[in-house]
Structures are given as structure tokens and as C-alpha cells.
């Protein structure tokens, strides 16, 4: 556990006492994430290869016995209060919806078949602080869900395994918030390990640790374009529906089934007459294959080969899946010209971030190139930072 995280936890405990007038029972943390490769595959039963970020959401919490939740956000300065007995999907909005969603998901976990029984949440005070960039496609929502879920479960005395918590958080986002996301973000927030990415098979729910640049000769850089990350305007849900329709036309349960074959993709897609559906399916099938190839290349130390797959992933997301925006494409081109192994958009798209796998020592050069390109295009100055793989959710103090 880093010194910085411990210092943040102590500061959060002090803020909790200031806001609520009493000491917190503990502080919990859950990280954001970046996805090295495997985009829009998780809701198609496919493969993903994310890792946890050092940036995390911290939650200081204290148990209550009156059935109320009081949540204070240091990000907004707002305190929201609601009664557990009155929780219904859609009943709380804004940032507090994710807090309410996790309490609701835990309290109904047995009914949903995700745990042996419902979690008896009696009430809780929560103070939330985060340095995960908001709206950047780095899973700030999953970090909030998992940190709150872990805090509430621990205070309740409920034994919830990491993957179970991830599934409860996914249910919270799907069924309470109304965002039809896959399981990747919550999974890596709970299961991340320092120095590793996690190959996750979303069909079997099997995670496999994959060392990421173990020899220290490369690092991942994140370029936050500051382009608003817009997933709630229907485009994300539309992509999911298109994939489901393509699978129906092809007579398979999910597009993952077709990714597992060695057949030519153009031949596989012959029955799909609709051009949009064909392009969506082509991305998912080829992206799944790129994930498996990337894992093999990482294990072999072939970073140039990994970079080739990253570039191919970006082009597929730009042309076949159509989820990039101008800021993303400008960042991708600027970064790609700086001698990196590879670069690509990361996250659901429609804004957000580009990542680059780069030789150590290129950080400042990449930063300068992207800032120059953005200034020339009249965009807001981007942020560029290193992203070493970090640990997943845990109790800090």
C-alpha cells in the first residue's frame, strides 16, 4: 500500500469527523481502470485485458442503526440522505445514485441470486473522495460502486468475495442506474494486482493474471483528452443492441462464439446484410482475437506485436464501431508519431482517453506532442500521466 494512499486515507478520516462530527469506523479504496485491449467485448461474452490504476476512490464510513444513509462527496461538497427501506431503481440520481445503487444491490443480493442471502444493511454514513478523473472513461463509477460496496459489506459483517462484489456492482449500474455495462470495470476494480493486467473471460468469469512490462522496459501512458465521456445519450446502449441483433441474424447466442473459431471473418459475416450490423460484429470478433494474441505477445516479450494489435484495435473502434471523437483521433495520431509501441482509445468511447504502450523515457515527449496538437486544433489542454498497474479494492485503515 502506497504512502500516498495512506496519507489520503488519513485526510479523509479527518474530513469525515468534520462533516459528521464523529470518527469513521474505517476507510476503504477502489481503483479506476484502463483497458489495454478488448473494448466492447465484455457485454458480448468476450475477452478483456484491463488493469487497475493508482488513482482510486476512497470512502470513510461509519455504521448507523436507523436505516438511513448519509453520503457526503468532497468532489461536489454535497450531502445526500435517503432511507434504505425506500430504495427503488431510479429513486436517487446524480453521483449519489451509485451509492444508493450499491446499498440496494447488497440489500437484495439474495433475491437476485448473487449471494446466499440479502445483506442486512442497517444504515451508514459515508464520506467520498476520489482522484479518478470523472467522465474520462477510466471507470470512476465502478471505483465508487466498489469502494462503497466494500465499506458497507465490511461494516455489516457480510463475507462477499471480490468477484461477487463486482457482479453486485454491475447489477447496481445495470438495474438501478440504468447503464447496460458489462462486468469488466467492476471486475478489475475488485481484482486488480500491482504489476499485472487481468485477462478476463466474461463468459466463464475466469480471471488470469498477465504480467505487464515485467522487465521495466515499457510503461503505459494515459492521455486524458478532456473530451466529455458521453455514454448515457443512448449510443452505448445502441451498440449493445446492434451486437445482439447481429448475433441473432448469425444464429448464435453471442458474438463470442464466432470469435473462438479460426474461420475467415468476412465469410462468417456473409449472412449479415445490414452494413452497420456487419461492421459492429466484425469489430467484436476481431477484437476478441486481438486480446488473446496480445496476451501471448506480452508473455513472449514482443511489445512491438502488442503495439500492432493496439493500433488495429483503435482503427476498428474508429471505423467499424464508430465510438471515437475528434479529440481522441487527434491524440491517437499525435502519440503514434512519437515512437511508442502502440496506442488506442480506451473505454467505451465518445470521449475519454487514449493509452499508449511506450518505451520508458518517452513521457515528456508524448506530453509535449499531444499538447501541441491539441493547441493547434483549439482543444482544451489534455492531461498525460503514467499508469503503472495497481492493486484492487481493499480496506486502507
Amino acid at each position: 500500500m502506497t504512502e500516498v494512499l495512506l496519507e489520503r486515507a488519513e485526510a479523509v478520516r479527518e474530513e469525515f469527523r468534520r462533516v459528521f462530527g464523529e470518527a469513521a469506523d474505517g476507510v476503504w479504496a477502489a481503483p479506476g481502470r484502463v483497458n489495454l485491449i478488448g473494448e466492447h467485448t465484455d457485454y458480448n461474452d468476450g475477452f478483456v485485458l484491463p488493469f487497475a490504476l493508482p488513482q482510486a476512490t476512497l470512502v470513510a464510513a461509519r455504521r448507523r442503526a436507523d436505516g438511513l444513509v448519509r453520503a457526503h462527496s468532497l468532489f461536489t461538497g454535497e450531502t445526500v440522505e435517503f432511507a434504505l427501506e425506500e430504495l427503488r431503481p431510479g429513486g436517487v440520481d446524480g453521483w449519489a445514485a451509485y451509492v444508493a445503487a450499491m446499498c440496494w444491490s447488497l440489500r437484495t443480493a439474495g433475491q437476485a441470486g448473487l449471494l446466499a442471502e440479502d445483506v442486512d444493511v442497517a444504515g451508514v454514513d459515508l464520506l467520498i473522495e476520489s482522484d479518478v478523473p470523472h467522465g474520462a472513461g477510466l471507470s470512476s463509477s465502478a471505483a465508487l460502486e466498489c469502494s462503497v460496496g466494500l465499506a458497507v459489506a465490511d461494516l455489516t459483517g457480510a463475507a462477499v468475495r471480490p468477484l461477487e462484489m463486482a457482479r453486485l456492482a454491475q447489477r447496481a449500474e445495470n438495474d438501478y442506474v440504468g447503464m447496460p455495462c458489462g462486468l469488466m470495470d467492476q471486475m478489475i476494480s475488485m481484482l486488480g494486482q500491482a504489476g499485472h493486467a487481468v485477462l478476463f473471460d466474461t463468459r466463464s468469469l475466469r480471471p488470469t493474471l498477465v504480467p505487464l512490462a515485467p522487465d521495466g522496459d515499457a510503461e503505459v501512458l494515459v492521455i486524458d483528452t478532456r473530451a466529455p465521456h458521453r455514454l448515457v445519450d443512448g449510443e452505448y446502449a445502441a451498440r449493445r443492441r446492434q451486437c445482439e441483433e447481429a448475433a441473432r441474424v448469425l444464429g448464435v447466442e453471442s458474438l463470442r462464439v464466432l470469435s473462438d473459431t479460426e474461420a475467415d471473418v468476412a465469410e462468417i459475416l456473409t449472412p449479415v446484410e445490414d452494413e452497420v450490423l456487419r461492421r459492429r460484429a466484425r469489430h467484436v470478433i476481431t477484437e476478441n482475437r486481438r486480446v488473446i494474441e496480445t496476451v501471448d505477445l506480452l508473455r513472449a516479450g514482443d511489445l512491438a506485436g502488442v503495439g500492432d494489435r493496439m493500433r488495429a484495435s483503435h482503427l476498428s473502434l474508429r471505423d467499424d464501431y464508430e465510438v471515437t471523437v475528434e479529440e481522441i483521433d487527434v491524440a491517437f495520431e499525435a502519440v503514434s508519431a512519437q515512437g511508442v509501441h502502440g496506442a488506442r482509445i480506451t473505454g467505451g468511447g465518445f470521449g475519454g482517453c487514449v493509452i499508449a504502450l511506450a518505451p520508458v523515457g518517452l513521457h515528456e515527449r508524448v506530453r509535449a506532442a499531444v499538447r501541441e496538437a491539441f493547441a493547434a486544433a483549439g482543444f482544451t489542454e489534455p492531461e498525460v500521466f503514467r499508469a503503472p498497474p495497481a492493486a484492487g479494492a481493499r480496506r486502507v485503515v
Side-chain angles (χ1 to χ4, degrees):
M1 193 176 299
T2 67
E3 254 183 62
V4 171
L5 190 64
L6 286 171
E7 289 174 3
R8 286 177 61 198
E10 289 301 326
V12 167
R13 282 212 298 185
E14 288 302 313
E15 283 297 308
F16 185 96
R17 185 183 291 276
R18 182 186 65 81
V19 171
F20 293 110
E22 297 187 51
D25 293 330
V27 180
W28 291 258
R33 68 97 186 96
V34 291
N35 191 21
L36 190 67
I37 196 165
E39 223 66 76
H40 290 278
T41 50
D42 59 340
Y43 55 79
N44 286 291
D45 289 345
F47 298 102
V48 293
L49 189 64
F51 61 89
L53 285 169
Q55 289 87 346
T57 294
L58 271 62
V59 173
R62 181 177 66 90
R63 183 183 172 97
R64 299 173 61 96
D66 58 2
L68 290 179
V69 173
R70 292 189 300 173
H72 180 83
S73 168
L74 293 180
F75 183 73
T76 66
E78 179 185 17
T79 300
V80 175
E81 181 177 307
F82 52 85
L84 289 166
E85 289 295 333
E86 298 174 3
L87 284 180
R88 301 289 185 275
V92 179
D93 56 17
W95 63 267
Y98 298 94
V99 177
M102 280 309 299
C103 293
W104 170 83
S105 190
L106 285 162
R107 294 185 80 237
T108 57
Q111 300 171 42
L114 295 178
L115 294 177
E117 58 185 10
D118 295 340
V119 176
D120 184 20
V121 181
V124 66
D125 286 335
L126 304 165
L127 185 133
I128 299 158
E129 184 262 0
S130 183
D131 65 353
V132 182
H134 290 257
L138 300 177
S139 297
S140 58
S141 60
L144 177 56
E145 291 157 1
C146 291
S147 55
V148 168
L150 199 58
V152 172
D154 280 1
L155 290 180
T156 305
V160 183
R161 292 190 292 268
L163 192 53
E164 290 174 334
M165 185 64 75
R167 295 182 70 191
L168 287 166
Q170 181 198 19
R171 176 174 177 252
E173 192 146 350
N174 289 174
D175 297 345
Y176 192 101
V177 179
M179 174 62 187
C181 64
L183 184 58
M184 173 179 65
D185 296 355
Q186 295 82 4
M187 179 280 301
I188 192 62
S189 189
M190 291 303 304
L191 295 176
Q193 286 202 22
H196 294 77
V198 176
L199 171 64
F200 190 62
D201 182 340
T202 62
R203 182 170 66 185
S204 69
L205 302 184
R206 185 177 67 220
T208 303
L209 290 175
V210 179
L212 184 54
D215 297 327
D217 54 355
E219 61 185 353
V220 176
L221 305 178
V222 174
I223 299 90
D224 181 357
T225 67
R226 306 288 179 89
H229 188 63
R230 300 172 292 269
L231 291 182
V232 293
D233 59 1
E235 291 295 335
Y236 184 100
R239 297 303 185 279
R240 185 163 187 162
R241 288 194 301 271
Q242 289 161 350
C243 289
E244 291 168 352
E245 176 62 16
R248 188 193 66 76
V249 171
L250 291 164
V252 293
E253 184 177 311
S254 72
L255 296 175
R256 154 66 181 275
V257 175
L258 304 171
S259 306
D260 290 341
T261 74
E262 295 182 1
D264 179 74
V265 176
E267 184 178 338
I268 290 173
L269 296 177
T270 299
V272 184
E273 296 181 358
D274 184 279
E275 175 62 22
V276 172
L277 295 184
R278 188 183 306 117
R279 286 191 281 113
R280 304 296 190 254
R282 181 167 58 209
H283 165 72
V284 173
I285 294 169
T286 57
E287 185 79 347
N288 273 317
R289 294 177 178 180
R290 283 188 287 268
V291 173
I292 299 303
E293 291 168 358
T294 295
V295 170
D296 292 339
L297 290 163
L298 280 172
R299 288 171 172 159
D302 185 351
L303 299 184
V306 172
D308 288 342
R309 272 52 177 194
M310 292 174 68
R311 178 176 177 82
S313 172
H314 180 88
L315 297 179
S316 180
L317 287 158
R318 184 190 69 188
D319 301 334
D320 279 349
Y321 225 67
E322 298 180 285
V323 295
T324 68
V325 294
E326 190 176 0
E327 292 96 328
I328 291 289
D329 290 324
V330 168
F332 169 75
E333 295 297 341
V335 171
S336 297
Q338 303 310 311
V340 301
H341 297 298
R344 61 181 290 275
I345 183 176
T346 188
F350 310 106
C353 296
V354 167
I355 59 168
L357 182 64
V360 172
L362 280 189
H363 178 223
E364 291 304 323
R365 178 172 160 183
V366 166
R367 184 202 301 269
V370 177
R371 286 182 172 178
E372 181 179 349
F374 270 47
F379 298 148
T380 300
E381 184 174 275
E383 181 181 359
V384 181
F385 59 90
R386 295 182 175 90
R394 66 275 199 200
R395 184 168 184 162
V396 182
V397 293

